[in-house]
Amino acid sequence: MWEEFPNACDTIGLGPRALHRRLRVYGVKLSKDVKPKWMRTVTGCEGLRLFLETMADTCRDSGRVSLDDDEEEFVDILEERRRSSDLGHALRTFNPHPFQGAPSCSTAELNKAVLESQYLHYVVKEIAMETGSSVEEVREKASGVLEEMSQNLQLGFIRLMGYMFTKVFKRLFTSIFVNMEGLHVLQQAIQESPVILMPNHRSYVDFLIISYILFTYDIPVPVIAAGIPLAGMKIVGEILRRSGAFFIRRAIGSDKLYWAMLSEYVKTIVRRGYAPLEFYVEGLRSRTLKSLTPKLGMMHMVLEPYFKGEVFDIMLVPISISYDRVLEESLLAHELLGVPKPKESTMGLLTARKVLQEDYGSMHVNFGRPLSVRHMCQGKINRCQYNLTPRDLPQKPTAEAQAWVNWLAHVMVRIQEEGSLISPWSLMACLLLQEPITALTEEGLLWHQLTEKTLWLRKLVLDFGARLNWPGQMPDSDVMSSTVTLHHSIVRCKSGRVYLVQEEEPARRHPVSPEEGVNKTAAMVLMLASYRNQALHVFVRPALLASVIHITKSTQIDELFSCFCFLQDVFSFEFIFIPGKSSQDFEEACFFLKKCGAVHISQQELTVSETGLEVLSFLQALLRPFIDSYQVMFRCLSEEGGHVFTENQFLPAVRNLATQLILSGELHTYEALSSDTQKNVLSALRRVEAVTKLRGSEQNEYRVNNAAVGRIGDMLSGKIPPQRLQPTPDARL
C-alpha cells in the first residue's frame, strides 16, 4: 500500500497542505518533519486505508477541518481595493500569460474558423438535403446563429466591468476571500493546457466574479456560457458579450443546426486554447442553494477534443463560491412557490439598486486543484474508437463514454460541494428548521438554547470534515449575534428569543385567507431552508444512515446497506451521489457515525450507542422534511383519479394537497410546497420507471404506475422492507 500512496494522492489531486488537513479528518496523524514529497511517519493505518479507498476512487478534492492559524489560505481581495483607486485598478497594465500552445486569435478569426470547419460543412450539407433548402440558405442561417451566440471579448470592456464591479462589490460585501494557492496553480495550468472553469451557480453575482478575480491577478479572463435572456438586456447584454459572455438558447430541442453550431464553437475554443472556458455544470442557478444534478451537454462538448486526440490534455478546475447571504434569497423562495421569475431586463437591474443598501457579509471563492482529463480517464475510456471515423464527422458518444462523462460531472459537483465553506448561519438554519413552526412564529426560540446547540453542531460538522467559515478572532457569542443581525430579513431576536420574520403584507380590504397565510409562512421557511441546504452535503450520507436505522429498526449491516441504497435511489435528484459509489458512501457514513460516537460497528452489526441518540435524532430530523414531502407527492399521485397527468396538473395538485395537510396539522413541513422538490420527485420516479413519459405527447404527459409508487411510499415509511430500485451502475466508473 505504501508504494501506491503517492500515485493514489496524485489521482486525488491533493497538494501537501490539503492532504495534511484531510488525513486529520480520517484520524491519520502526520509527523511535523514531513519530507518534501510525502511523509516519514504515519500512524493510524486504518484511517489511511479508508481515506485512500474512499477518496482515490472518486477523485474528490480535499475538504478541510478549519482554517489553520498558520495557513494564510484565503485573502480578502477587497481590502486592497478599499485602500487604492478603483480607476487605477481598472486601467493598470494587464499582463496575462495565456496557453503557450495557442496561436494569437481574434474573435473574428475564431468565428471564421467555426464557419469554415469541415464538421460544419458536413452538417450544413446534411441539413440542406434533409430540408430541401440550398446549402447557401443553411449556411446563412448558421452565420446568423453564430452572430447571436458568439462573444466579443475586448479588454476595454473588461476594464469597464472591473471598475463597475469594484464599486458594486465594495457596497455589497464586507470581504471577498480567494484562496491564493488555488489561484497560483490555475495560473500555471492555463499556460500548459486548455482550461475549463467550472464554478457552482448560486447567484447572479457568480456570473462575472471569476473574470473579475482573474483580471485582478493578471490571469487570462474566460469566455463564459450564459443564457440567451441576458443578451436581450439593452446595453447590459452588449457589455456582457464584450466581457466574454457567449449566449446559449435555453430550449434547443432537436434543432440540429443550432446543436452543431454550439458544439463546434465550444470545441474550437478548446482546441485552439483561445481562452479559459467557463460554464456551469449544473446548467441553471440553484434556487434552493444546494447542488443540482449535472447537465451533460456542455460537458460532452468540452471533452470531445480530447477524446478525438485534438488536444493532449484538458484541465478541469472546480470552483466553489460560498455566500454568507445571497442577494436573491427572497426572489428564489417565491419562485419555488410558483411566482413567475422576473424577466431579465436593464430596467429590472436598475430598479434592483436598492440591494446596494443591504449588507451581504462575505463571499468565499475557492479555486480547486485542476484535474487532468487525461489522467482521470486512463483505463476507463478507449479512445481508439474515435480513430475509426474521421474527426470532422459527427460521432455519437458510446455508452461507455456517456457513463464516464456522467460520472465525471458528478465528481466535479461533489468537489464543488467539498470546496464550499459552511457559515455559522447555515448551522443555525439547520437547527431552526427542526423546531415547530409555532415556536418560531409565536413563542420564539430561546437565544441561549440556539447558541448552545449551534456550538454543539459546530463540533459535529468539524468531525464530519467540513470546511467551516467561523471567524476565529471573535468570541463565539459575537459570531452568532452578528450572523443573526446579517439575516434580519429572515429572523429577529427580541427579549432573548429568536422569531421567524413574518412577510409584510400591504394594506388590504379583506383578511388574509388561511391558504395565503400558509404561502406567506412558506416563503420565509424556504428562505431559511436554502441556507440549511448549503450545509446538507456534509450531513447527507450520515443522515441517510441515521434514517435507515430509524426505518428498518435493524442492526444487520447487509439490511442497512440495502435500505441505504434504496434511499439513494429515491433521493437521486435531491442530493449528489457519484454513480457506482454506494458502497463507499455507506462506508463513509459508518465511519463518521462511529467517529462521533453515535454507533458501534462490528463485522456484521451496527448498534446505536447510548451517547449517540442526540446525533442520530438531529440527522434524522434533517432529512425528515424531504421524506415527508416525498410521501405527500406519492400520496397525490396515488389519489389522482386518472393514470395520466401533465406536469402542469401535478404541481398545483401537490401544492393544494400540501396546503390542506398543513392547515389540518397532518403535515409539518412547508418544503412540500417547493416546485423544485416536486420536480425532483417526478425525475426520480421516472428514473425507476414508476412514472413514464408518453412519447409524442405535446403536453408532456406522464403515466403513473400506482402500484409502484405505493410500494416506494411503503418502503420509505418502513411498512415493507426497502430494496434497491435500480440496477447497480458499473463499479468501474
Side-chain angles (χ1 to χ4, degrees):
M1 181 181 71
W2 298 110
E3 292 76 11
E4 297 174 356
F5 183 70
N7 291 333
C9 292
D10 284 341
T11 301
I12 299 165
L14 297 179
R17 287 183 180 177
L19 172 64
H20 190 171
R21 285 193 305 273
R22 194 60 176 175
L23 287 176
R24 285 203 307 263
V25 176
Y26 284 86
V28 180
K29 298 178 181 178
L30 299 175
S31 64
K32 291 185 178 179
D33 53 340
V34 176
K35 283 184 176 181
K37 282 193 174 182
W38 301 110
M39 62 196 73
R40 291 181 182 172
T41 61
V42 179
T43 59
C45 295
E46 181 62 22
L48 178 61
R49 182 195 66 77
L50 178 60
F51 172 77
L52 290 176
E53 287 184 0
T54 303
M55 301 300 288
D57 284 349
T58 57
C59 297
R60 285 183 281 175
D61 193 21
S62 64
R64 76 182 193 168
V65 179
S66 62
L67 285 173
D68 291 344
D69 294 335
D70 60 343
E71 292 184 8
E72 278 291 323
E73 200 166 28
F74 284 84
V75 171
D76 178 13
I77 65 173
L78 290 186
E79 185 178 350
E80 176 65 25
R81 301 283 67 76
R82 297 187 195 280
R83 296 198 306 258
S84 58
S85 165
D86 297 340
L87 187 60
H89 170 254
L91 296 179
R92 80 191 200 292
T93 301
F94 179 55
N95 187 30
H97 299 283
F99 175 40
Q100 294 175 352
S104 178
C105 179
S106 66
T107 300
E109 290 170 335
L110 177 71
N111 291 352
K112 183 179 179 182
V114 173
L115 288 173
E116 293 182 353
S117 68
Q118 291 298 317
Y119 170 78
L120 198 62
H121 278 301
Y122 178 87
V123 173
V124 165
K125 289 181 180 178
E126 196 174 55
I127 293 174
M129 291 178 62
E130 291 173 357
T131 61
S133 304
S134 66
V135 171
E136 289 73 20
E137 289 175 334
V138 179
R139 285 188 61 80
E140 186 176 347
K141 186 177 179 181
S143 181
V145 169
L146 184 60
E147 184 178 351
E148 172 194 86
M149 178 190 303
S150 66
Q151 53 77 34
N152 187 17
L153 184 61
Q154 297 177 11
L155 181 58
F157 280 84
I158 292 293
R159 295 189 185 280
L160 173 63
M161 293 299 287
Y163 177 75
M164 292 169 56
F165 270 41
T166 300
K167 295 290 187 186
V168 171
F169 288 154
K170 288 195 298 185
R171 291 288 298 273
L172 291 176
F173 301 104
T174 56
S175 50
I176 297 178
F177 291 104
V178 178
N179 70 320
M180 301 308 297
E181 183 179 347
L183 204 59
H184 293 151
V185 174
L186 170 64
Q187 192 170 30
Q188 183 64 34
I190 285 177
Q191 298 177 51
E192 297 173 354
S193 300
V195 165
I196 311 299
L197 304 175
M198 300 175 65
N200 54 1
H201 197 13
R202 302 294 177 266
S203 169
Y204 283 124
V205 178
D206 301 339
F207 184 65
L208 284 173
I209 183 62
I210 307 300
S211 298
Y212 178 79
I213 294 170
L214 299 192
F215 171 72
T216 298
Y217 289 96
D218 286 345
I219 301 174
V221 294
V223 293
I224 312 164
I228 195 66
L230 293 175
M233 299 173 66
K234 294 180 179 178
I235 303 175
V236 174
E238 188 58 30
I239 292 176
L240 294 177
R241 188 186 298 274
R242 298 190 185 202
S243 298
F246 65 96
F247 301 101
I248 304 173
R249 297 175 191 171
R250 286 180 176 169
I252 302 175
S254 57
D255 190 333
K256 189 174 180 179
L257 180 62
Y258 193 91
W259 273 110
M261 288 302 304
L262 175 60
S263 175
E264 186 62 17
Y265 186 72
V266 168
K267 289 185 290 186
T268 303
I269 291 172
V270 175
R271 278 196 300 261
R272 289 177 168 246
Y274 173 79
L277 190 148
E278 177 184 335
F279 77 97
Y280 303 111
V281 68
E282 297 168 286
L284 301 171
R285 181 178 50 131
S286 173
R287 297 183 296 182
T288 59
L289 300 191
K290 63 182 174 64
S291 299
L292 304 178
T293 303
K295 305 295 188 293
L296 304 182
M298 185 69 73
M299 198 77 177
H300 277 289
M301 292 177 194
V302 300
L303 294 176
E304 190 172 319
Y306 173 74
F307 291 155
K308 291 186 174 181
E310 295 170 310
V311 295
F312 179 76
D313 198 2
I314 295 173
M315 303 302 289
L316 305 179
V317 181
I319 304 173
S320 307
I321 306 176
S322 311
Y323 296 91
D324 283 351
R325 184 183 173 195
V326 177
L327 274 68
E328 307 93 329
E329 57 185 11
S330 177
L331 175 66
L332 296 176
H334 284 87
E335 284 182 29
L336 292 172
L337 292 172
V339 178
K341 176 184 174 182
K343 183 180 179 181
E344 289 93 343
S345 67
T346 303
M347 185 57 66
L349 182 64
L350 295 175
T351 56
R353 63 184 182 275
K354 63 181 180 181
V355 301
L356 296 175
Q357 301 168 8
E358 290 281 339
D359 178 13
Y360 292 90
S362 298
M363 179 200 307
H364 283 77
V365 184
N366 185 12
F367 288 87
R369 196 172 179 83
L371 299 178
S372 162
V373 171
R374 186 179 188 85
H375 189 89
M376 295 184 75
C377 80
Q378 191 171 5
K380 297 184 175 69
I381 295 291
N382 179 15
R383 292 196 296 158
C384 294
Q385 61 191 355
Y386 289 94
N387 297 329
L388 303 177
T389 306
R391 290 175 176 174
D392 296 327
L393 296 183
Q395 292 188 49
K396 185 177 180 180
T398 63
E400 178 188 50
Q402 288 177 333
W404 184 79
V405 170
N406 181 49
W407 170 84
L408 180 59
H410 280 78
V411 167
M412 298 304 294
V413 177
R414 284 291 290 128
I415 295 175
Q416 291 172 354
E417 288 182 335
E418 295 196 354
S420 63
L421 274 75
I422 308 302
S423 70
W425 177 241
S426 291
L427 302 183
M428 299 174 87
C430 289
L431 296 166
L432 287 168
L433 284 168
Q434 297 190 8
E435 298 294 326
I437 195 64
T438 53
L440 298 179
T441 57
E442 298 174 13
E443 301 106 36
L445 179 64
L446 287 171
W447 171 251
H448 74 83
Q449 183 181 343
L450 177 61
T451 55
E452 288 175 3
K453 286 186 175 181
T454 302
L455 293 176
W456 169 82
L457 186 55
R458 179 180 68 172
K459 181 181 183 304
L460 183 65
V461 82
L462 291 176
D463 283 343
F464 285 0
R467 305 170 68 94
L468 187 59
N469 171 29
W470 191 289
Q473 67 278 14
M474 293 173 60
D476 292 336
S477 58
D478 291 349
V479 171
M480 290 181 281
S481 295
S482 63
T483 199
V484 167
T485 301
L486 181 67
H487 293 277
H488 61 87
S489 59
I490 302 177
V491 295
R492 60 186 174 89
C493 199
K494 181 180 179 182
S495 303
R497 290 179 177 269
V498 181
Y499 297 86
L500 189 69
V501 171
Q502 296 296 294
E503 192 176 33
E504 293 184 5
E505 184 74 21
R508 53 193 300 173
R509 293 182 180 180
H510 304 289
V512 175
S513 68
E515 289 77 12
E516 289 174 319
V518 168
N519 268 340
K520 286 176 59 180
T521 303
M524 307 311 296
V525 170
L526 290 179
M527 286 171 63
L528 189 59
S530 67
Y531 290 102
R532 175 212 59 199
N533 290 343
Q534 291 182 313
L536 273 181
H537 66 275
V538 177
F539 298 114
V540 67
R541 285 155 185 79
L544 283 177
L545 182 53
S547 298
V548 164
I549 294 170
H550 177 72
I551 291 171
T552 62
K553 306 293 190 297
S554 174
T555 61
Q556 297 300 306
I557 294 289
D558 290 346
E559 293 179 16
L560 295 175
F561 177 64
S562 178
C563 185
F564 185 89
C565 293
F566 161 73
L567 287 185
Q568 283 195 323
D569 291 341
V570 171
F571 295 122
S572 56
F573 283 85
E574 205 69 57
F575 311 111
I576 299 299
F577 303 113
I578 297 175
K581 297 302 175 184
S582 294
S583 295
Q584 287 86 341
D585 288 339
F586 183 73
E587 286 181 16
E588 182 179 293
C590 291
F591 176 83
F592 284 135
L593 289 187
K594 182 179 179 181
K595 182 182 179 184
C596 68
V599 299
H600 302 296
I601 302 176
S602 65
Q603 195 161 6
Q604 298 295 333
E605 284 193 322
L606 181 150
T607 56
V608 177
S609 68
E610 293 181 1
T611 59
L613 295 178
E614 185 178 16
V615 172
L616 294 178
S617 176
F618 165 76
L619 293 173
Q620 289 163 13
L622 201 62
L623 280 192
R624 177 53 55 188
F626 298 96
I627 292 175
D628 289 349
S629 297
Y630 274 49
Q631 290 286 31
V632 169
M633 293 169 216
F634 296 157
R635 176 174 167 179
C636 183
L637 285 171
S638 299
E639 289 181 356
E640 286 293 311
H643 294 287
V644 175
F645 65 94
T646 66
E647 189 174 299
N648 290 336
Q649 293 171 335
F650 175 67
L651 300 185
V654 170
R655 191 169 287 124
N656 290 337
L657 175 60
T659 300
Q660 296 308 314
L661 293 175
I662 290 171
L663 290 172
S664 69
E666 188 177 342
L667 179 65
H668 301 288
T669 177
Y670 288 76
E671 295 181 55
L673 298 169
S674 166
S675 59
D676 272 28
T677 305
Q678 295 158 9
K679 291 175 182 177
N680 288 341
V681 169
L682 275 185
S683 298
L685 291 177
R686 285 187 63 193
R687 173 176 284 181
V688 300
E689 299 181 350
V691 167
T692 54
K693 187 174 182 179
L694 301 184
R695 292 184 178 181
S697 171
E698 296 181 358
Q699 298 181 348
N700 290 329
E701 291 183 313
Y702 299 89
R703 184 182 301 279
V704 58
N705 182 333
N706 285 343
V709 171
R711 186 169 61 253
I712 293 171
D714 287 343
M715 287 191 285
L716 192 58
S717 62
K719 293 180 181 178
I720 59 177
Q723 58 185 9
R724 181 143 209 149
L725 299 177
Q726 57 183 358
T728 303
D730 188 347
R732 292 178 304 160
L733 300 176

